[in-house]
Amino acid sequence: MKLSRLLSILLVTTVAVYSCKKSDPDPGTTTEPAKTILNVAYGTDALQKMDVYLPAGRTATSTKVMVMIHGGGWTSGDKTEFNAFVDTMKRRLPDYAIFNINYRLSANPVNVFPTQENDVKAAMDFIFGKSAEYLISNKHVLIGASAGGHLAMLQAYKYSTPVKPKAVVSFFGPSDLTDMYNNPVGGSGLLAFGLAQAVGKTPTQDSALYANSSPANFIGSSTAIPTILLHGGADPLVKPVQSTIVRDKLLMSGIVNQYVFYPTGGHGDWNGATYFDAFNKIEAFLKANVN
């Protein structure tokens, strides 16, 4: 998923708006300078790395954490595709520490499911273990696009350790993999085949793996967290129903959520105005729900 050109438009617009804003200093901050650490290893594989962006004045009690997870159908992609997201969120939410992660990519028969899920969990454990060193709190937020949205929701709903996230943001992330395989966009057998290749099996071959890899199956009143879902009506890869399934289950469980639908939006190939609106809504949602 290549978003760099469109996101550069978003970045320019964001800079223009936010460069005019000044925020009052937080009396609870420290004198720690901002710090960027690239390609920090959280495992032994070359892809188990993350970029770390620590804000100035951070503290272990007040500095929130945002974990970003790139897309690419679980088989491709890189954290650098989220660099514009990083820059945008640093300007909009300067009190957050941001962790932009890579994970091992599926290449059947190597690194098939649940490798990516396990890597996200390992990254979260690593980040939590660095809380004292990095001066960051246990207030975690996950944000992902496409396959990254799926992984963000899966971590958020399925795991309460090392911490239970405070919120999750999903850009057109799959939530029910069995439904996605059985009912692909346009009935495309190629999309179903691609999913089976990434997972490593079909639902018929391993229904439990599909169930355990589907975020929607872990939504309940005690497990789900505030969620904002963003989806395009013309998405050629992930049907909007993958987001509305989550919305409906969250509503049934009484969990705060917001579903943002862009009727003409595709799979990440949104224009600058759409992305700007999306990040306005994400910023407002996180400010309202992460305290």
Side-chain angles (χ1 to χ4, degrees), residues 174-239:
S175 67
D176 184 330
L177 299 189
T178 303
D179 179 77
M180 189 175 182
Y181 180 89
N182 291 331
N183 302 290
V185 177
S188 171
L190 185 60
L191 289 178
F193 175 78
L195 176 59
Q197 284 293 105
V199 174
K201 296 180 180 178
T202 67
T204 300
Q205 292 169 329
D206 197 337
S207 59
L209 178 59
Y210 274 74
N212 288 327
S213 301
S214 295
N217 292 337
F218 297 93
I219 296 175
S221 58
S222 63
T223 58
I225 60 173
T227 303
I228 179 168
L229 306 139
L230 306 104
H231 218 117
D235 193 315
L237 300 178
V238 181
K239 286 183 175 181

Side-chain angles (χ1 to χ4, degrees), residues 108-127:
N108 196 341
V110 179
N111 292 336
V112 295
F113 279 29
T115 298
Q116 296 70 42
E117 174 187 341
N118 293 340
D119 279 2
V120 173
K121 179 64 167 61
M124 298 297 291
D125 289 341
F126 176 87
I127 293 167

Side-chain angles (χ1 to χ4, degrees), residues 8 13 17 19 22 27 35 45 52 62 118 131 133 136 139 179 189 208 239 248 262 274 279 282 290:
S8 64
T13 309
V17 173
S19 62
K22 294 183 179 180
K35 187 175 184 179
D45 190 276
V52 179
S62 64
N118 293 340
S131 295
E133 177 183 340
I136 54 176
K139 299 174 181 178
D179 179 77
K239 286 183 175 181
D248 293 346
Y262 298 108
T274 301
F279 276 99
I282 291 168
V290 183

